[in-house]
Amino acid sequence: VSDASGCSMITLLHTGAAKFPQNLLSRSRQAVSPLFPAGVLKQFSSIVSRKLASHGFGASMAAMSSFPPQRYHYFLVLDFEATCDKPQIHPQEIIEFPILKLNGRTMEIESTFHMYVQPVVHPQLTPFCTELTGIIQGMVDGQPSLQQVLERVDEWMAKEGLLDPSVKSIFVTCGDWDLKVMLPGQCQYLGLPVADYFKQWINLKKAYSFAMGSWPKNGLLDMNKGLNLQHIGRPHSGIDDCKNIANIMKTLAHRGFIFKQTSKPF
């Protein structure tokens, strides 16, 4: 196919395909489809794909084209760390409160909320707690109370557009403990309300077992191993655990898994 100057359109595409912006590929196909036979368009797609692959774009384009739509606009990855000892102390109190806002279309992290929380019932961290979580006394001393942190979470949710009724979002945790036991238990002890957005979530362990056919007994370590992923950071760091959860979710999504709520209504 030649234009008025006699230049071959296929030749032009062949020489320029590697420079063709990825986000314009589908738009360009739509624009030229009424002008050229289907065979020419097929050759166009093949040439562009080969050229992009030669420049390292092939795998990412394939992943994008096969990426299934999720049911939520955003996933809010959460993983608490709390006061602890052996034998266990009561009540446990949240001392690290991290949330990652994960885009449901790209599965990339868009925003982070991360605060440490000062415990009030057992204000002194135990050596066991510090060894397990990596959180030292100076990281929680003088920090906001849980009530103040929850207020800031709500402000962050509003700022990120997550309180808009038209925006579908859901929390994701590694297990049910964070939002079924820890947060409602401490809120009840302190006489604090639990926001409705904390009352539904996805248990990543259940999602992983649905996707992979096996239960991850050792949580994130087993899921990373099962997906051939490197563990990020240190175990039992709340923010690092959130990053691992997000990485596992992204990997499962690119394999075609669609995440669904696993918690039962309160």
Side-chain angles (χ1 to χ4, degrees):
V1 179
S2 300
D3 63 9
S5 65
C7 176
S8 166
M9 180 64 76
I10 294 300
T11 301
L12 179 62
L13 291 171
H14 190 280
T15 57
K19 299 178 182 179
F20 201 82
Q22 293 182 54
N23 63 342
L24 297 180
L25 288 176
S26 59
R27 199 178 301 171
S28 66
R29 291 192 189 100
Q30 294 172 4
V32 300
S33 59
L35 305 176
F36 301 111
V40 173
L41 291 178
K42 184 176 181 180
Q43 190 175 358
F44 162 80
S45 298
S46 176
I47 291 168
V48 172
S49 296
R50 288 200 303 273
K51 282 292 182 179
L52 287 172
S54 71
H55 286 258
F57 293 114
S60 60
M61 281 198 69
M64 288 172 64
S65 62
S66 62
F67 189 80
Q70 294 291 330
R71 296 185 171 194
Y72 297 91
H73 297 113
Y74 296 101
F75 297 104
L76 305 176
V77 179
L78 176 149
D79 190 273
F80 295 139
E81 298 303 325
T83 53
C84 53
D85 202 1
K86 282 191 173 182
Q88 188 60 272
I89 57 177
H90 296 284
Q92 282 187 275
E93 299 171 84
I94 295 168
I95 53 175
E96 185 180 7
F97 204 127
I99 307 172
L100 298 180
K101 179 188 175 188
L102 202 64
N103 187 302
R105 183 177 56 81
T106 64
M107 301 305 285
E108 298 291 344
I109 298 168
E110 286 195 353
S111 181
T112 301
F113 178 93
H114 186 213
M115 293 190 71
Y116 291 100
V117 190
Q118 180 164 328
V120 294
V121 181
H122 301 287
Q124 192 70 29
L125 302 183
T126 65
F128 174 83
C129 182
T130 293
E131 183 179 353
L132 180 70
T133 66
I135 299 173
I136 62 174
Q137 191 66 41
M139 295 166 72
V140 297
D141 284 346
Q143 295 302 307
S145 66
L146 180 64
Q147 180 177 359
Q148 292 170 322
V149 171
L150 289 173
E151 291 170 356
R152 296 188 189 182
V153 168
D154 202 67
E155 293 170 359
W156 177 79
M157 295 276 287
K159 180 175 69 73
E160 295 294 328
L162 297 167
L163 301 184
D164 184 335
S166 66
V167 175
K168 293 186 65 177
S169 65
I170 190 168
F171 279 90
V172 183
T173 58
C174 184
D176 292 321
W177 175 83
D178 300 81
L179 293 178
K180 186 176 183 179
V181 177
M182 188 61 241
L183 182 63
Q186 189 178 358
C187 285
Q188 183 178 25
Y189 183 90
L190 297 173
L192 301 175
V194 178
D196 286 342
Y197 45 71
F198 286 126
K199 295 180 180 179
Q200 49 276 321
W201 64 89
I202 294 169
N203 178 344
L204 184 64
K205 292 180 182 178
K206 290 182 180 178
Y208 177 90
S209 68
F210 296 152
M212 302 296 289
S214 61
W215 183 261
K217 294 180 181 179
N218 295 314
L220 293 175
L221 296 177
D222 279 359
M223 288 186 272
N224 276 327
K225 183 177 179 181
L227 295 170
N228 296 315
L229 299 174
Q230 289 292 323
H231 191 87
I232 300 169
R234 64 165 288 159
H236 302 295
S237 158
I239 189 65
D240 287 347
D241 284 352
C242 283
K243 293 174 183 177
N244 281 287
I245 292 171
N247 201 28
I248 290 165
M249 291 184 68
K250 181 178 179 179
T251 302
L252 290 176
H254 278 282
R255 290 185 176 205
F257 186 74
I258 298 174
F259 291 92
K260 303 174 184 176
Q261 178 179 329
T262 62
S263 64
K264 296 180 180 179
F266 272 48

